[in-house]
């Protein structure tokens, strides 16, 4: 489970600053992260630059315990992170008509420096699925 980087009240939420925009969203750099349900594994990453833009995200551990992506040195330098323990890894969820149809993007995780709250979406060089099933059917 990720260490929390979000508060509960909207006005107290720490801002996550993307060092490069998420592909397809060129003018959006600031986001906040909130839980969908108090005890649930789903989070919403919501743009502050354009509030209707939001992504469902999860921490990989509860669903993909063996997921261990290698983050390239260029991204680590861009985030100014040299200690992997500072990184929070989030996976973007594509919701389906039912939970059984939901998929997760393992190929392009979002990495967040827990200290500076700087973030980037990374395109991995490894063989990961773009649409891995979230729930085993």
């Amino acid at each position: 489970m990720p260490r929390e980087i979000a508060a509960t009240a909207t006005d107290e939420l720490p801002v996550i600053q993307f060092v490069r925009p998420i592909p397809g969203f060129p003018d959006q750099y600031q986001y906040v992260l909130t839980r969908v349900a108090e005890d649930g594994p789903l989070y919403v990453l919501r743009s502050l630059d354009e509030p209707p833009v939001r992504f469902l995200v999860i921490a990989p551990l509860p669903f993909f315990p063996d997921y261990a992506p290698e983050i390239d040195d260029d991204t680590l330098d861009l985030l100014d992170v040299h200690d992997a323990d500072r990184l929070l890894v989030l996976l973007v969820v594509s919701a389906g008509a039912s939970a059984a149809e939901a998929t997760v993007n393992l190929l392009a995780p979002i990495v967040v420096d827990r200290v500076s709250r700087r973030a980037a979406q990374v395109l991995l060089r490894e063989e990961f699925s773009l649409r891995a099933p979230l729930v085993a059917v």
Side-chain angles (χ1 to χ4, degrees), residues 2 6 11 17 33 96 115-116 119-120:
D11 58 351
Q17 180 74 34
L33 182 67
V115 176
S116 72

Side-chain angles (χ1 to χ4, degrees), residues 111-123:
V111 291
V112 181
D113 178 357
R114 288 185 177 105
V115 176
S116 72
R117 295 191 177 90
R118 292 166 47 100
Q121 186 170 31
V122 181
L123 182 58

Side-chain angles (χ1 to χ4, degrees), residues 56-128:
L56 278 177
V57 295
I58 59 166
L61 186 59
F63 300 95
F64 304 95
D66 296 330
Y67 183 72
E70 288 187 32
I71 308 304
D72 63 278
D73 290 337
D74 290 341
T75 300
L76 293 175
D77 289 342
L78 195 59
L79 294 174
D80 195 24
V81 173
H82 303 287
D83 178 4
D85 289 339
R86 284 178 41 171
L87 292 178
L88 169 65
V89 175
L90 299 170
L91 303 173
V92 178
V93 176
S94 294
S98 69
E101 294 176 12
T103 61
V104 178
N105 182 345
L106 298 176
L107 185 62
I110 293 171
V111 291
V112 181
D113 178 357
R114 288 185 177 105
V115 176
S116 72
R117 295 191 177 90
R118 292 166 47 100
Q121 186 170 31
V122 181
L123 182 58
L124 301 174
R125 297 182 187 140
E126 303 162 54
E127 295 295 320
F128 285 110

Side-chain angles (χ1 to χ4, degrees), residues 7-56:
T8 53
T10 304
D11 58 351
E12 298 174 8
L13 292 174
V15 174
I16 296 171
Q17 180 74 34
F18 276 73
V19 295
R20 59 181 177 231
I22 293 173
F25 301 90
D27 299 323
Q28 297 168 49
Y29 290 88
Q30 296 186 337
Y31 291 79
V32 291
L33 182 67
T34 57
R35 269 187 198 253
V36 171
E38 189 173 322
D39 293 332
L42 285 174
Y43 292 80
V44 173
L45 186 64
R46 182 176 47 89
S47 172
L48 292 177
D49 299 312
E50 194 170 325
V53 173
R54 65 189 105 197
F55 302 94
L56 278 177

